[in-house]
Amino acid sequence: MSVLLSKEIDPLNLAQREAVLAPIDRPIMVIAGAGSGKTRVLTLRVAYLVREIGIPENRILAVTFTNKATDEMRERLSRFVNVKRLNIGTFHSIALRIIREETGDRVVYDDEDSRALIKEIVERANLSVSPKALRLAITRYKNTGKVPNNIKEDVFSSAYEEYQRRLREANALDFDDILIEAVRLLEDEEVRRKYSHRFFYVLVDEYQDTNPLQHRMIKLIAGEPEHRRVFVVGDEDQSIYAFRGADFTIFLNFERDFPNARLIKLETNYRSTNQILKLANRLISHNTQRRGKVLRSHSGDGPLPVYRHFFSDREEAEWVARTIKKHSPGDVMVLYRANYLSKPVEDALIKRGIPYTVVGDVSFYQRREIKDLIAYLRLSVNPQDFVALDRVIGTVEGLGPKTATTLKDLLAEMPFTEVEEEDLKERGLRGKRLKTAMRLVSLLKEIEGEHPHRALVKVIEGMDYLEYLRRKFPDTYIDRRENVSQLLNMATEYEDTLEFVNQLSLLSSVDTKEKGNAVALMTVHAAKGLEREVVFVIGLEDGTFPHYRAMVEGNLEEERRLAYVAITRAKRYLYLSSVEVRGWKEDLEPSQFLYEMGVLDDRGRVIIGEDNAEGERRREGRSEPLKKGDYVVHDKYGIGRVLRVDLDTVTVMFSVGKKTFVREKAKLRKL
């Protein structure tokens, strides 16, 4: 074994070494607990296959779920192998390569493009369904084959048929179609054998999150008896994407689909302390649909997790902000079950001047200026892309819906390369509209077949796009101009315009990126794969987390896995909280997960995690010293103002009049 590779493999624990060095004569399934070094194992496995087994780089297929994971794997492997020859990518990017090789170039519609097309279909046909509901229904149908119950079958069928027809006319695929089309092609025996032979060894990350189409794709390439050189890594306890069509039972049934598979468990955690893992292990042990494993920390015990219960979400947010002051903002992550829970925390952070970012906000690839410019490129490679045409026309002052319809009708009959001024005149365009439309057509002719960077420069200059941004968005112009500059830089890395356009579509559809040296606020779903020194999990109430729908339907196992993911993002400090009143919801009870973790006993008493650093307070604000003028809340009398504070008593004016309480027994909460 090479010295370089040996230096990387020698420090591995026994289970990690077993996975990296396993023989290639049978399927391998690595059950990798949170923080157990699965990415390291996966990348070293690839390096071992190339450097020691002698498998050529171009005969290896490594599949990931995000572009971020792909980039990380490439970077790690660059020390050992020629990464340019490796076939590494997301399911969708690999599928798109197969489609392009087998059927030629296809344009990819991202989510926004699909929504625009569906909106047009709904409005034209005056359908009794919202565009958003129809988009979700189409996605669900393509991923599961089922139509949601809340949409009439005839309405869905007619809209779906029209949507697919419009995609075919534009020679386009939406994001969901990519896997469907790739699987359809691979089900041809000749095509299947071609890729099964090409990809001698197949590795798949996050296998617990595969949907039936993704699993079918892997089975077609590597599932036949003559192949079965497959290595999958995953953890059923971290499967949290059922709403996207993921089916964790695929992971549980791996041996059924790949007989004689070898199972290897990674149970040493290199991220969190034992105090954090104790909670995680207790919680997830309540799930029945799992293989079973127990995580052990490599880092020792660490500080106890902290749990606090508050009267309101405002008090909770104030505590979060105060506690963050003890840490560096860049070390902190605040997690919640749903986006609406972030608002009080944001307010509290702003009040204290603590920098933060809401991860999952509009990404670079979804920003208006990026979508606008990419629409020009899409139209240059596919004149029938009328969704892109609508967007392009929206950036050109002097053109409107009527001109858009005229151009659509004309381009349905001839490509823009053949359109002349007389053709536009025959369609009724005159004066400024004629001149502006011809200017657009001429630009599209000019950038056809052009290098993506040069094409973008011509669009920006030819259509005065920066001036358009300056006039339309004066307050955010500088940021938008910087985004345009970033897009131009990205374009220099590509030679083919269609490849560039499709790559951006894939990025905009699947990646959410963490930004900046600031507190990161995000849903637990967005936190998958991330970690920070300090993690807050707020909103741990029944009906909030776990979500009320899961409680009503008796489907708590995925909610429990979601809580498990949240807890295991923390490296050293874990803060948990719940409230009695959140927004319009009152009388909330602490989450049953707090009992399952062992944070609360069966009588609701806190077993671990009192925040002793702030004193032995039972509830936030209840033992804080009150002073004249403070506003307080009482369960019976509502909000009142403190009139007087004596040694043993406190007098408060409520709407019902003055009330005096014994200080030690007063159930008053300071606002």
Side-chain angles (χ1 to χ4, degrees), residues 159-342:
Y160 181 73
E161 183 179 338
E162 175 64 11
Y163 176 68
Q164 292 301 110
R165 185 186 69 78
R166 295 285 296 276
L167 288 176
R168 287 192 300 272
E169 282 185 353
N171 192 34
L173 300 168
D174 69 11
F175 196 67
D176 302 310
D177 281 332
I178 296 173
L179 292 177
I180 294 171
E181 180 67 5
V183 167
R184 185 188 69 79
L185 292 168
L186 287 167
E187 285 177 337
D188 178 273
E189 183 61 19
E190 185 176 341
V191 175
R192 186 199 68 78
R193 286 185 178 276
K194 171 182 173 181
Y195 290 96
S196 183
H197 174 74
R198 176 182 297 178
F199 302 133
F200 180 83
Y201 202 93
V202 179
L203 304 97
V204 189
D205 192 13
E206 303 284 11
Y207 209 73
Q208 80 280 347
D209 290 330
T210 52
N211 63 33
L213 277 171
Q214 291 162 336
H215 178 59
R216 179 68 177 154
M217 179 175 160
I218 296 301
K219 274 195 70 178
L220 286 168
I221 294 172
E224 291 301 314
E226 75 271 13
H227 196 293
R228 297 194 184 281
R229 290 175 295 276
V230 61
F231 183 98
V232 305
V233 181
D235 179 11
E236 73 271 17
D237 292 337
Q238 296 186 74
S239 180
I240 58 174
Y241 296 118
F243 68 95
R244 293 183 186 170
D247 182 357
F248 76 100
T249 62
I250 291 171
F251 187 79
L252 293 177
N253 296 325
F254 182 77
E255 300 98 315
R256 181 192 66 190
D257 297 309
F258 292 91
N260 196 35
R262 180 177 178 182
L263 269 59
I264 301 170
K265 291 184 181 181
L266 305 183
E267 296 178 291
T268 301
N269 178 287
Y270 293 89
R271 176 190 298 150
S272 307
T273 64
N274 267 324
Q275 297 292 357
I276 293 169
L277 296 181
K278 283 178 185 177
L279 269 61
N281 287 329
R282 288 179 192 141
L283 175 67
I284 204 63
S285 68
H286 287 79
N287 271 10
T288 58
Q289 294 181 289
R290 61 190 298 261
R291 294 172 181 273
K293 64 179 178 305
V294 177
L295 293 181
R296 298 174 297 274
S297 176
H298 187 264
S299 307
D301 284 342
L304 281 172
V306 171
Y307 166 67
R308 300 297 300 278
H309 182 79
F310 301 92
F311 174 69
S312 70
D313 52 3
R314 177 182 169 183
E315 292 178 3
E316 177 187 57
E318 292 293 326
W319 169 72
V320 169
R322 278 201 314 276
T323 309
I324 286 173
K325 284 287 191 179
K326 302 175 185 177
H327 305 282
S328 171
D331 289 339
V332 180
M333 178 187 292
V334 181
L335 303 180
Y336 34 81
R337 178 62 180 82
N339 278 309
Y340 75 89
L341 296 167
S342 73

Side-chain angles (χ1 to χ4, degrees), residues 305-542:
V306 171
Y307 166 67
R308 300 297 300 278
H309 182 79
F310 301 92
F311 174 69
S312 70
D313 52 3
R314 177 182 169 183
E315 292 178 3
E316 177 187 57
E318 292 293 326
W319 169 72
V320 169
R322 278 201 314 276
T323 309
I324 286 173
K325 284 287 191 179
K326 302 175 185 177
H327 305 282
S328 171
D331 289 339
V332 180
M333 178 187 292
V334 181
L335 303 180
Y336 34 81
R337 178 62 180 82
N339 278 309
Y340 75 89
L341 296 167
S342 73
K343 181 63 168 62
V345 178
E346 289 188 65
D347 292 345
L349 296 178
I350 291 170
K351 179 180 175 182
R352 284 171 173 74
I354 300 173
Y356 75 92
T357 179
V358 180
V359 179
D361 199 358
V362 178
S363 74
F364 174 85
Y365 308 101
Q366 293 289 356
R367 288 174 180 150
R368 177 165 183 162
E369 55 273 19
I370 304 303
K371 300 286 291 181
D372 285 350
L373 293 172
I374 293 304
Y376 279 92
L377 299 189
R378 282 176 38 189
L379 205 53
S380 75
V381 297
N382 183 10
Q384 300 299 307
D385 190 342
F386 294 142
V387 171
L389 179 61
D390 281 340
R391 188 168 197 107
V392 163
I393 288 176
T395 71
V396 183
E397 295 182 353
L399 301 183
K402 186 174 180 181
T403 307
T405 301
T406 300
L407 286 173
K408 282 182 184 179
D409 293 342
L410 184 58
L411 293 177
E413 299 175 10
M414 66 176 72
F416 59 73
T417 51
E418 297 177 11
V419 173
E420 301 296 339
E421 188 171 319
E422 288 302 314
D423 299 309
L424 296 173
K425 287 181 179 178
E426 289 178 8
R427 301 295 173 125
L429 294 186
R430 296 288 186 273
K432 185 177 180 180
R433 283 200 305 149
L434 172 62
K435 183 178 179 180
T436 306
M438 196 61 216
R439 177 186 173 200
L440 174 59
V441 170
S442 298
L443 175 69
L444 293 174
K445 290 180 182 180
E446 189 176 354
I447 65 174
E448 184 190 30
E450 185 63 276
H451 184 283
H453 180 267
R454 289 192 291 271
L456 284 173
V457 170
K458 289 180 179 180
V459 169
I460 293 166
E461 293 177 350
M463 302 309 294
D464 293 328
Y465 186 73
L466 292 180
E467 186 58 29
Y468 161 78
L469 289 179
R470 187 193 300 275
R471 288 194 300 269
K472 195 164 185 69
F473 309 103
D475 295 334
T476 58
Y477 169 70
I478 293 177
D479 288 340
R480 293 177 185 274
R481 185 186 63 191
E482 289 302 313
N483 292 335
V484 170
S485 297
Q486 180 65 22
L487 181 67
L488 286 169
N489 289 335
M490 293 175 66
T492 61
E493 300 174 9
Y494 293 81
E495 293 296 327
D496 179 70
T497 296
L498 182 63
E499 182 185 0
F500 179 56
V501 168
N502 284 342
Q503 179 65 9
L504 289 186
S505 291
L506 293 176
L507 287 167
S508 69
S509 297
V510 300
D511 273 352
T512 298
K513 298 195 175 181
E514 191 178 356
K515 304 173 290 184
N517 184 26
V519 176
L521 275 59
M522 69 189 86
T523 65
V524 183
H525 284 103
K528 182 70 164 40
L530 304 178
E531 61 182 40
R532 285 210 176 179
E533 190 79 6
V534 184
V535 171
F536 290 81
V537 185
I538 66 172
L540 283 165
E541 306 101 33
D542 280 345

